[in-house]
Amino acid sequence: MNKWKRRGAAVLAALLLVMPLAISEVRAVSEPEEEGSAAAKAQEMAEVLIGSYGVNGVQYAIRDEGEIVLSGGLAVTESGSKRPVAREEMFGIGSVSKVYVTAATLMLAEAGKIDIDRPLTAYIPEFEMADPRYKQITPRMLMNHSAGLYGSHYKNSMLFDDNDTENHDTLLDNLRHQRLKSDPGEYGVYANDGFQLLEILVERVSGMSYSEFLARYVSEPLQLRSTKTPLDDFDRGQLHPVRFPGIAGALPPENANVIGTGGIYSTAEEVTLFSEVLTGHRTEVLSKASALAMQNPEYRNGIWVEDEENVFGYGLGWDSVDLAPFEQYGLKAMTKGGDTIMYHSALIALPEEGISVALLTSGGSSLLNTAAATSIMLTYLKETGEIGDIYPDKVPVTPVQKDMPGSLNAYSGLYGTVGSTLDIAVEDGQIKLPGLMDGLIPEQTYVYTGGSQFTGEDGLTVISFDDQSNGHTYVRVKSVLEFPGLGQSPMAYYEYQRLDANPLTELVAGAWSKRDQQTYYAVDEKINSLFYLMPSILMKTIALDEQGGYANGAKITGEDQAVNVAEIPVMNGRDVFDLTFFRKNGMEYLQADGRTYVSEAAVRPIYAGVSSTATIPDAERVRWYKVGDSAAGRTMTVDLPQQGGFAVYDADGVPVRLSVADGGGEVVLPEDGLIVFGGDAGDVFNITLKQK
């Protein structure tokens, strides 16, 4: 793992698992609930999320046949004390927002204003792509993730206390220059851009902004008082505060300016109220027929990884319409999870029982929320007599290696996923793989255990090779993710896709070999972006496979071009990108995923003298510097332009100063660190370094 990947992993770990306080350091705020009750389970889940997973705020609610039967929350302050979370406190619900824009689209269909199976171009005439297949895309394909879009344009989407609509306003132009990765309707793979297009569709057809549409046709009839978007006028003090390790106090409000895909704020109680729309119990907003249509197993219409137990199984808007483990109890359950940078959410609804649970957090991840919400729901179902005993967690089984058929050796070769490649060797009935699912599945050796399957040392993960109908071979993963204290989540998905050899000419190979292990830095992300909390997202380190035919998982097609070839259903094929290089003013730049990056050759050590200036280049928004040996340990102060800011990172990529959050001031420059100054093109920053 190279240095910047290590830095990215460190920051991501800080984001998902913020340094937890020991539970003994956190003072109680309420009496324990009756043992075995859903209230006690919810309290327990909140304690575990805060004490073991770095969450700093939890809010939950259960609604049963229209009535709130459980509502509560728990937060830990910066000093380590506990406090209750008020029912009116608002959280970002992230991608749970997708079921809102799906419902809005179906409302327009009910009104006869759209047909969800007509081409999208009938409603957004200016929608074009650099791929003629775009004309086949329909609203249904956007709702079930099967449109074939590359995935997500995140640039300037998550901003501190800033409702800039740039991301929304430039989406159509960005897509105009992009290809599709698969035939529309061929398979489902998570795609945020599809729900941004649905937002634009609602606006075009209704003649009003999406925020206005939600207020008029959702919030007003349901009397939602705390369901808002970044463009709404409301008291930002209602938002539950978020914190980040190393930065004192609460961060400024987070605005997810991708409203259709993840920008709504709400409360747990109001999310469960809206879920009644989705389950057909509020027909004054959405008909029963439309709600049932959302629950159809759309994922079965295309290529999919087959498994009876899974947390994935797309409907219209839903992550799963067959959520495990509820089918074991004879219950149909749907779920939608959501993540912004700092907020996380989970909604689980049982349409036939009219019961739903929502769990919202500051810090953590939607996977944790879903596991916790599942435990709470099962406890409530047992408490109310809907189910009997709760089945125990799956127990790891030590794998016993068997003789492997020689035919499986043929699966050795080069495989790729989004952003990387891997040489997989099937040798002596064993396969070694790195950590999967961002490390939730450990690096381990898998041994052949029969049935063309290999079982991991953890005893919970099984891999195999699937030759699919689209001509691709995939590494299939079936696992049970364990979240100690919260529960388990069964998961089945495709991790890698086999790649063909891609021999290059000497000229092309030479051009790319010079870029191998070189890092490129984003220059067009606003300095008040939350992505500066995790700077690895704003960097791309070019990594070639051993034969040099692929870069970051993309197929090299010329001296300055590599194109995506990943066609991986479910989740791991999301957010793919091409790589295009160009030169300006003697410096090499990279265009990828809607952003522009500059070569590390432009990232020079900051001047180590007492006084210097930094100027934002033309057509750019930031300028990056390294902390050289002569500047390390010195104290820096910066005279900022009006809209300017800066960030400083240590050698692991962890922020030690983020001026938009902590106001700037003096900062000691860390050894082997990074500095980024941001503002408008031409802005000048006056820098002073004190002697050591």
Short mmCIF file of all heavy atoms in Angstrom, two decimals, residues 4 8 20 62 81 173 206 258 278-279 297 354 418 519 545 569 579 581 589 592 607 625:
data_model
loop_
_atom_site.label_atom_id
_atom_site.label_comp_id
_atom_site.label_asym_id
_atom_site.label_seq_id
_atom_site.Cartn_x
_atom_site.Cartn_y
_atom_site.Cartn_z
N TRP A 4 -0.02 7.41 0.13
CA TRP A 4 -1.30 8.15 0.13
C TRP A 4 -2.47 7.24 0.36
O TRP A 4 -3.49 7.64 0.91
CB TRP A 4 -1.44 8.94 -1.17
CG TRP A 4 -0.57 10.16 -1.10
CD1 TRP A 4 0.56 10.39 -1.81
CD2 TRP A 4 -0.72 11.26 -0.20
NE1 TRP A 4 1.12 11.57 -1.42
CE2 TRP A 4 0.36 12.13 -0.45
CE3 TRP A 4 -1.65 11.57 0.78
CZ2 TRP A 4 0.52 13.32 0.25
CZ3 TRP A 4 -1.50 12.76 1.47
CH2 TRP A 4 -0.42 13.62 1.21
N GLY A 8 -5.17 7.78 3.23
CA GLY A 8 -6.61 7.74 2.99
C GLY A 8 -7.29 6.78 3.95
O GLY A 8 -8.36 7.06 4.48
N PRO A 20 -13.47 6.75 19.99
CA PRO A 20 -14.57 6.60 20.94
C PRO A 20 -14.16 6.90 22.37
O PRO A 20 -13.02 6.71 22.77
CB PRO A 20 -14.96 5.13 20.80
CG PRO A 20 -13.69 4.46 20.39
CD PRO A 20 -12.94 5.46 19.54
N ILE A 62 -39.76 4.07 16.31
CA ILE A 62 -40.56 3.01 15.71
C ILE A 62 -41.99 3.52 15.57
O ILE A 62 -42.54 4.11 16.51
CB ILE A 62 -40.55 1.72 16.56
CG1 ILE A 62 -39.15 1.11 16.62
CG2 ILE A 62 -41.54 0.70 16.00
CD1 ILE A 62 -39.08 -0.15 17.48
N SER A 81 -19.89 13.89 28.56
CA SER A 81 -21.15 13.63 29.25
C SER A 81 -22.23 13.26 28.24
O SER A 81 -22.14 13.61 27.07
CB SER A 81 -21.59 14.86 30.05
OG SER A 81 -21.84 15.95 29.19
N ASP A 173 -24.24 18.97 -18.10
CA ASP A 173 -23.05 19.24 -18.92
C ASP A 173 -21.99 18.18 -18.68
O ASP A 173 -21.32 17.72 -19.62
CB ASP A 173 -22.50 20.62 -18.61
CG ASP A 173 -21.34 21.00 -19.53
OD1 ASP A 173 -21.56 21.04 -20.75
OD2 ASP A 173 -20.23 21.22 -19.03
N SER A 206 -42.76 19.55 -13.11
CA SER A 206 -43.64 20.26 -12.18
C SER A 206 -43.58 21.77 -12.33
O SER A 206 -44.51 22.47 -11.92
CB SER A 206 -43.28 19.89 -10.74
OG SER A 206 -42.03 20.45 -10.37
N VAL A 258 -26.75 17.67 -3.07
CA VAL A 258 -27.21 16.68 -4.05
C VAL A 258 -28.53 16.17 -3.49
O VAL A 258 -28.63 15.05 -2.99
CB VAL A 258 -26.18 15.56 -4.27
CG1 VAL A 258 -25.09 16.01 -5.21
CG2 VAL A 258 -25.57 15.10 -2.94
N LEU A 278 -44.51 5.18 1.55
CA LEU A 278 -43.82 4.17 0.76
C LEU A 278 -44.42 2.79 0.91
O LEU A 278 -44.16 1.91 0.09
CB LEU A 278 -42.34 4.13 1.17
CG LEU A 278 -41.60 5.47 1.15
CD1 LEU A 278 -40.20 5.29 1.71
CD2 LEU A 278 -41.56 6.06 -0.24
N THR A 279 -45.19 2.58 1.96
CA THR A 279 -45.79 1.26 2.19
C THR A 279 -47.28 1.25 1.85
O THR A 279 -47.97 0.27 2.14
CB THR A 279 -45.58 0.83 3.65
OG1 THR A 279 -46.08 1.84 4.53
CG2 THR A 279 -44.11 0.58 3.93
N PRO A 297 -39.28 -6.55 -6.86
CA PRO A 297 -37.86 -6.91 -6.91
C PRO A 297 -37.25 -6.61 -8.27
O PRO A 297 -37.00 -7.50 -9.08
CB PRO A 297 -37.87 -8.41 -6.60
CG PRO A 297 -39.20 -8.88 -7.08
CD PRO A 297 -40.16 -7.74 -6.84
N GLY A 354 -47.26 -2.77 8.69
CA GLY A 354 -47.40 -1.34 8.95
C GLY A 354 -46.46 -0.84 10.02
O GLY A 354 -46.78 0.10 10.76
N VAL A 418 -13.21 -1.18 -9.31
CA VAL A 418 -13.11 0.25 -9.54
C VAL A 418 -11.88 0.80 -8.82
O VAL A 418 -11.77 0.71 -7.60
CB VAL A 418 -14.38 0.98 -9.07
CG1 VAL A 418 -14.23 2.48 -9.25
CG2 VAL A 418 -15.58 0.47 -9.86
N THR A 519 1.07 11.01 -7.90
CA THR A 519 -0.20 11.47 -7.34
C THR A 519 -0.62 12.78 -7.99
O THR A 519 0.19 13.67 -8.22
CB THR A 519 -0.09 11.66 -5.82
OG1 THR A 519 0.26 10.40 -5.23
CG2 THR A 519 -1.40 12.13 -5.22
N ASP A 545 -1.03 -2.06 -13.46
CA ASP A 545 -0.89 -3.48 -13.16
C ASP A 545 0.49 -3.94 -13.63
O ASP A 545 1.23 -3.19 -14.28
CB ASP A 545 -1.99 -4.28 -13.86
CG ASP A 545 -1.83 -4.28 -15.36
OD1 ASP A 545 -2.08 -3.24 -16.00
OD2 ASP A 545 -1.45 -5.33 -15.90
N PRO A 569 -22.09 -5.74 -11.39
CA PRO A 569 -23.40 -5.46 -10.79
C PRO A 569 -23.34 -5.28 -9.27
O PRO A 569 -22.33 -5.56 -8.63
CB PRO A 569 -24.22 -6.70 -11.16
CG PRO A 569 -23.51 -7.32 -12.31
CD PRO A 569 -22.06 -7.02 -12.08
N LEU A 579 -9.75 8.08 -17.30
CA LEU A 579 -8.60 8.93 -17.00
C LEU A 579 -8.17 9.63 -18.28
O LEU A 579 -7.86 8.97 -19.27
CB LEU A 579 -7.44 8.11 -16.45
CG LEU A 579 -7.69 7.28 -15.17
CD1 LEU A 579 -6.51 6.38 -14.88
CD2 LEU A 579 -7.97 8.20 -13.99
N PHE A 581 -5.56 12.76 -19.61
CA PHE A 581 -4.49 13.68 -19.25
C PHE A 581 -4.35 14.77 -20.31
O PHE A 581 -4.57 14.53 -21.50
CB PHE A 581 -3.16 12.93 -19.10
CG PHE A 581 -3.14 11.97 -17.94
CD1 PHE A 581 -3.57 10.66 -18.10
CD2 PHE A 581 -2.71 12.37 -16.69
CE1 PHE A 581 -3.56 9.77 -17.04
CE2 PHE A 581 -2.69 11.49 -15.62
CZ PHE A 581 -3.12 10.18 -15.79
N TYR A 589 -2.10 17.71 -16.26
CA TYR A 589 -3.34 17.65 -15.50
C TYR A 589 -4.08 16.36 -15.85
O TYR A 589 -3.87 15.77 -16.92
CB TYR A 589 -4.25 18.84 -15.83
CG TYR A 589 -3.79 20.16 -15.26
CD1 TYR A 589 -2.75 20.89 -15.84
CD2 TYR A 589 -4.41 20.69 -14.13
CE1 TYR A 589 -2.34 22.10 -15.32
CE2 TYR A 589 -4.01 21.91 -13.60
CZ TYR A 589 -2.98 22.61 -14.20
OH TYR A 589 -2.58 23.81 -13.67
N ALA A 592 -10.87 13.35 -14.30
CA ALA A 592 -11.50 12.09 -13.89
C ALA A 592 -12.65 12.40 -12.96
O ALA A 592 -12.59 13.37 -12.19
CB ALA A 592 -10.48 11.18 -13.20
N TYR A 607 7.51 27.83 0.83
CA TYR A 607 8.71 28.64 1.06
C TYR A 607 8.99 28.73 2.56
O TYR A 607 8.08 29.01 3.36
CB TYR A 607 8.50 30.03 0.48
CG TYR A 607 9.65 30.98 0.71
CD1 TYR A 607 10.91 30.74 0.17
CD2 TYR A 607 9.47 32.12 1.49
CE1 TYR A 607 11.96 31.61 0.38
CE2 TYR A 607 10.51 33.01 1.72
CZ TYR A 607 11.76 32.75 1.16
OH TYR A 607 12.80 33.61 1.38
N TYR A 625 0.58 22.60 -1.37
CA TYR A 625 2.00 22.68 -1.05
C TYR A 625 2.38 21.51 -0.14
O TYR A 625 1.55 21.01 0.62
CB TYR A 625 2.35 23.98 -0.31
CG TYR A 625 2.29 25.23 -1.17
CD1 TYR A 625 1.10 25.94 -1.29
CD2 TYR A 625 3.42 25.69 -1.83
CE1 TYR A 625 1.04 27.09 -2.06
CE2 TYR A 625 3.37 26.85 -2.61
CZ TYR A 625 2.18 27.54 -2.72
OH TYR A 625 2.13 28.67 -3.49
#
